[in-house]
C-alpha cells in the first residue's frame, strides 16, 4: 500500500508540472538545501545516490529547501515528514511527503526509505530542467501482484497495543572506586489518533564503594546503596483538533529521595493553538493540571513530617517550531502547593538553533529552575560522605545550566563531491 501511494504521488506531481516543462526548461541543475537539523540523515549517502541536483550549503541560494522532521509513533518507531519548499523560480510551491519506520528498523532500511522519498519529492522540480532526460521513475514494486495492492487496511490482532521489556546495567571500577547500576522496566502503550494510553513499571538499584586515606593515614572504606521502583500511567483523549484532556498517575519509591512511597494523581487539560496535525512543524500548547499526592518518608523531613497529604496545581506552556529558519523549542512550568503558596517551583527549558542570515547561525541551550517545594528532604545534617557520594538528595534552591555558540560558513556553495579517504568518521 505504501509503494502504491508514494508512486501515485510521484505520478501526480509529474503530471502537474508536465505542461510547464515544454514551456520552460532549465539547463542548470536544481540547487537543493538538505536541512536535517531537526532529525538525523546520512548526508554522504544521499549526496552519493542523487547526482541530478546540486547540493548547496546556503539555504537562501537554493531552488528547493528540503526540511526533514520526525515524531515518535505509537509503536515506538518514528514518523518522518519531508517538506519541500520551493524558492527562486519555484517560489510559493510546497509539497509534503511522510513515511513511518518501525522501532526494529535498521539504519540501512531507514536511509533507503528516506532516499526514495527524497527522489520522489524532487520529481516535479527536476522535471523542469534538461536533466529530466536522465531521470527514471519506477511505478511497480518488486514481488507484488495486483491483488496485494488492493489491501487497504491491515487488521491488527494486538489492537495497536505495544509491549516492551528491557533492562540495562553499568559497571565501572578502578583501584579506589567501584560502581554498579542495574535497571529494568516493562511498558505497555496504545496510540491511536483519538487517544493515547501508557503504562510503565520499573525497578533500579545502584551501589558505590570507594576507599580513601584519612589525615592520620588510615584507610577508610565507604559504601552507598540506593534503590527505586516506580509505576507511571498516562491517559489522554482528544475531543477536538485543539483540545485534549486526561490524567497522570505516578507511584514511586526512592531511598535517594527519601520516599518510602509517593502516590500522585494529576487530572489535566490542554489547548493547542495549532491543529495537532501540524505537530511536525509547529506546536504551542498550554496545559493545566491539579495535583493530589500522598507521601510517606523513610526519615522525618525538614517539615517534621513522616506521612502527609498534599494538594496543588501545575501550569505549563510548551512551544516547538521546526521551520526553514531553524528549530526552537521551549517549556515553562509553574507549580505550588495550596496549603502554602510559598512552596513553589518554576522551571524553564530552552533549545534554539537559528539561521540568522545566509550562512550565519547560532544555537543556545538553557535549563533552569527555582525550587521552594522540596518537602521530601530528610531532617538533620548530612556528612561529608553523604555530599560527595550522593547517598541522599540534599536541599537546593536552584539549578541551571547553559551552552551556546555561533557558526559561520563561507566558501563554495556548490561543492557536493564525496571523498571519505582518511576520514575518522563517516556519516
Amino acid at each position: 500500500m505504501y509503494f502504491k501511494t508514494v508512486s501515485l504521488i510521484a505520478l501526480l506531481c509529474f503530471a502537474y508540472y508536465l505542461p510547464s516543462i515544454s514551456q520552460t526548461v532549465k539547463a542548470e541543475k536544481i540547487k537543493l538545501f538538505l536541512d536535517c537539523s531537526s532529525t538525523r540523515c546520512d548526508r554522504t549517502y544521499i549526496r552519493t545516490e542523487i547526482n541530478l541536483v546540486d547540493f548547496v550549503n546556503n539555504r537562501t541560494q537554493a531552488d528547493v529547501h528540503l526540511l526533514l522532521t520526525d515524531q515518535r509513533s505509537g509503536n515506538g518507531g518514528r514518523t518522518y515528514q519531508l517538506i519541500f519548499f520551493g524558492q527562486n523560480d519555484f517560489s510559493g510551491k510546497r509539497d509534503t511527503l511522510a513515511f513511518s519506520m518501525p522501532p526494529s528498523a535498521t539504519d540501512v532500511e531507514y536511509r533507503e526509505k528516506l532516499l526514495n522519498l527524497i527522489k520522489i519529492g524532487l520529481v516535479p522540480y527536476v522535471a523542469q530542467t534538461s536533466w529530466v532526460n536522465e531521470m527514471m521513475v519506477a511505478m511497480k514494486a518488486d514481488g507484488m501482484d495486483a491483488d496485494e495492492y488492493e489491501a487497504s487496511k491491515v487488521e491488527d490482532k494486538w489492537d495497536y497495543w505495544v509491549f516492551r521489556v528491557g533492562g540495562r546495567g553499568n559497571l565501572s571500577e578502578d583501584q579506589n572506586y567501584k560502581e554498579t547500576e542495574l535497571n529494568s522496566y516493562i511498558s505497555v502503550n496504545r496510540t491511536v489518533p483519538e487517544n493515547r494510553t501508557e503504562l510503565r513499571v520499573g525497578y533500579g538499584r545502584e551501589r558505590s564503594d570507594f576507599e580513601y586515606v584519612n589525615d592520620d593515614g588510615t584507610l577508610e572504606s565507604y559504601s552507598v546503596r540506593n534503590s527505586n521502583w516506580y509505576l507511571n500511567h498516562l491517559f489522554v483523549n482528544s475531543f477536538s483538533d485543539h483540545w485534549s484532556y486526561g490524567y497522570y498517575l505516578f507511584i514511586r519509591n526512592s531511598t535517594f529521595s527519601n520516599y518510602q512511597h509517593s502516590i500522585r494523581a494529576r487530572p489535566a487539560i490542554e489547548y493547542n493553538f495549532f491543529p495537532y496535525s501540524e505537530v511536525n512543524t509547529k506546536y504551542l500548547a498550554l496545559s493545566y493540571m491539579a495535583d493530589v499526592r500522598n507521601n510517606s518518608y523513610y526519615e522525618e523531613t525538614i517539615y517534621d513530617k513522616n506521612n502527609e497529604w498534599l494538594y496543588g496545581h501545575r501550569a505549563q506552556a510548551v512551544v516547538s517550531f521546526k521551520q526553514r529558519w531553524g528549530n526552537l523549542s521551549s517549556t515553562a512550568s509553574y507549580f505550588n502547593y495550596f496549603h502554602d503558596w510559598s512552596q513553589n517551583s518554576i522551571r524553564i527549558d530552552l533549545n534554539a538553533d537559528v539561521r540568522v542570515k545566509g550562512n550565519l547561525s547560532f544555537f543556545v541551550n538553557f535549563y533552569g529552575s527555582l525550587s521552594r517545594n522540596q518537602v521530601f528532604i530528610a531532617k538533620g545534617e548530612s556528612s561529608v560522605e553523604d555530599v560527595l557520594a550522593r547517598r541522599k538528595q540534599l536541599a537546593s534552591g536552584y539549578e541551571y545550566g547553559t551552552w551556546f555558540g555561533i557558526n559561520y560558513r563561507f566558501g563554495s556553495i556548490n561543492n557536493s563531491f564525496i571523498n571519505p579517504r582518511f576520514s575518522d568518521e563517516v556519516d
Side-chain angles (χ1 to χ4, degrees):
M1 182 62 185
Y2 164 80
F3 289 100
K4 180 181 179 182
T5 303
V6 166
S7 300
L8 182 60
I9 292 174
L11 182 60
L12 291 175
C13 290
F14 188 83
Y16 176 79
Y17 287 101
L18 191 59
S20 62
I21 295 176
S22 59
Q23 300 173 11
T24 304
V25 177
K26 299 179 62 173
E28 297 180 352
K29 290 182 179 180
I30 295 297
K31 293 182 174 61
L32 175 67
F33 179 74
L34 180 60
D35 189 348
C36 301
S37 58
S38 298
T39 186
R40 62 188 178 92
C41 71
D42 190 337
R43 296 175 184 271
T44 300
Y45 175 73
I46 294 171
R47 292 166 62 183
T48 302
E49 296 298 316
I50 299 177
N51 59 10
L52 295 187
V53 302
D54 283 332
F55 291 85
V56 298
N57 300 320
N58 188 333
R59 69 180 180 91
T60 61
Q61 298 182 9
D63 298 307
V64 180
H65 180 159
L66 172 54
L67 175 63
L68 306 179
T69 67
D70 71 323
Q71 291 289 329
R72 182 175 293 278
S73 305
N75 64 355
R78 304 199 75 82
T79 296
Y80 298 88
Q81 191 175 65
L82 296 77
I83 308 174
F84 296 82
F85 296 97
Q87 301 181 162
N88 299 329
D89 292 342
F90 304 104
S91 180
K93 300 184 187 302
R94 172 172 169 168
D95 300 301
T96 302
L97 300 176
F99 69 98
S100 297
M101 298 298 294
S104 58
T106 65
D107 287 344
V108 171
E109 291 173 325
Y110 161 68
R111 74 177 191 176
E112 289 179 350
K113 189 70 70 74
L114 175 62
L115 177 69
N116 188 51
L117 266 290
I118 293 176
K119 290 179 178 179
I120 292 171
L122 289 174
V123 167
Y125 302 96
V126 178
Q128 297 194 59
T129 71
S130 59
W131 292 93
V132 67
N133 298 315
E134 304 296 329
M135 184 172 58
M136 294 185 298
V137 179
M139 290 293 173
K140 182 179 180 181
D142 295 335
M144 299 184 72
D145 56 32
D147 292 336
E148 291 177 291
Y149 281 119
E150 297 303 319
S152 60
K153 185 177 181 181
V154 177
E155 293 295 333
D156 188 350
K157 67 178 182 179
W158 294 99
D159 194 27
Y160 304 108
W161 287 97
V162 179
F163 302 84
R164 299 182 185 87
V165 178
R168 64 180 177 87
N170 176 58
L171 171 65
S172 61
E173 182 176 0
D174 62 24
Q175 188 172 350
N176 303 304
Y177 183 81
K178 179 180 179 180
E179 180 181 18
T180 59
E181 182 181 357
L182 296 172
N183 292 279
S184 60
Y185 74 90
I186 300 173
S187 72
V188 182
N189 71 76
R190 182 177 187 268
T191 301
V192 293
E194 299 80 17
N195 56 64
R196 186 169 96 246
T197 303
E198 296 179 1
L199 176 66
R200 185 181 179 99
V201 180
Y203 174 79
R205 62 184 304 128
E206 58 181 322
R207 172 175 174 172
S208 300
D209 301 286
F210 60 92
E211 297 179 340
Y212 62 95
V213 179
N214 278 331
D215 294 337
D216 59 5
T218 59
L219 183 66
E220 294 286 344
S221 300
Y222 192 77
S223 296
V224 176
R225 292 175 175 81
N226 278 312
S227 64
N228 70 86
W229 56 262
Y230 63 87
L231 183 152
N232 297 338
H233 172 49
L234 162 70
F235 174 77
V236 58
N237 189 66
S238 300
F239 56 90
S240 79
D241 208 18
H242 295 271
W243 286 97
S244 296
Y245 67 90
Y247 63 84
Y248 299 88
L249 176 64
F250 306 95
I251 304 175
R252 64 176 296 204
N253 160 276
S254 173
T255 56
F256 175 74
S257 297
N258 195 32
Y259 284 124
Q260 195 165 27
H261 75 248
S262 177
I263 305 173
R264 189 185 342 169
R266 281 182 172 175
I269 190 168
E270 178 185 88
Y271 177 76
N272 185 8
F273 288 87
F274 303 108
Y276 285 107
S277 58
E278 299 182 9
V279 67
N280 277 304
T281 55
K282 51 188 176 182
Y283 180 80
L284 174 58
L286 300 179
S287 61
Y288 176 84
M289 58 199 75
D291 187 287
V292 180
R293 66 182 71 184
N294 175 255
N295 294 338
S296 180
Y297 308 107
Y298 283 107
E299 301 179 45
E300 190 175 67
T301 69
I302 54 178
Y303 295 101
D304 302 319
K305 300 290 186 180
N306 290 299
N307 187 290
E308 61 181 336
W309 283 90
L310 295 167
Y311 307 91
H313 63 169
R314 175 188 176 95
Q316 180 173 281
V318 179
V319 59
S320 175
F321 288 99
K322 298 177 182 178
Q323 302 292 323
R324 286 185 287 175
W325 45 259
N327 306 318
L328 173 66
S329 63
S330 181
T331 302
S333 63
Y334 171 82
F335 174 87
N336 73 262
Y337 291 114
F338 289 144
H339 74 279
D340 184 353
W341 285 60
S342 66
Q343 293 186 6
N344 56 54
S345 65
I346 300 173
R347 182 176 179 89
I348 298 176
D349 294 270
L350 172 66
N351 298 280
D353 188 347
V354 178
R355 282 181 288 273
V356 182
K357 186 177 182 180
N359 292 330
L360 177 64
S361 65
F362 74 89
F363 68 89
V364 59
N365 297 273
F366 171 83
Y367 70 90
S369 65
L370 296 175
S371 301
R372 301 292 186 269
N373 62 341
Q374 295 177 315
V375 297
F376 53 86
I377 299 298
K379 193 175 184 179
E381 296 183 358
S382 300
S383 65
V384 174
E385 289 84 358
D386 289 341
V387 177
L388 297 179
R390 291 181 57 84
R391 187 182 70 85
K392 60 182 180 180
Q393 191 162 347
L394 307 176
S396 177
Y398 67 90
E399 179 187 17
Y400 72 90
T402 184
W403 55 100
F404 48 87
I406 188 169
N407 296 297
Y408 181 70
R409 180 197 296 267
F410 59 94
S412 172
I413 68 167
N414 297 309
N415 191 337
S416 58
F417 300 112
I418 303 298
N419 189 336
R421 297 172 180 83
F422 283 13
S423 298
D424 293 329
E425 296 182 2
V426 178
D427 292 338

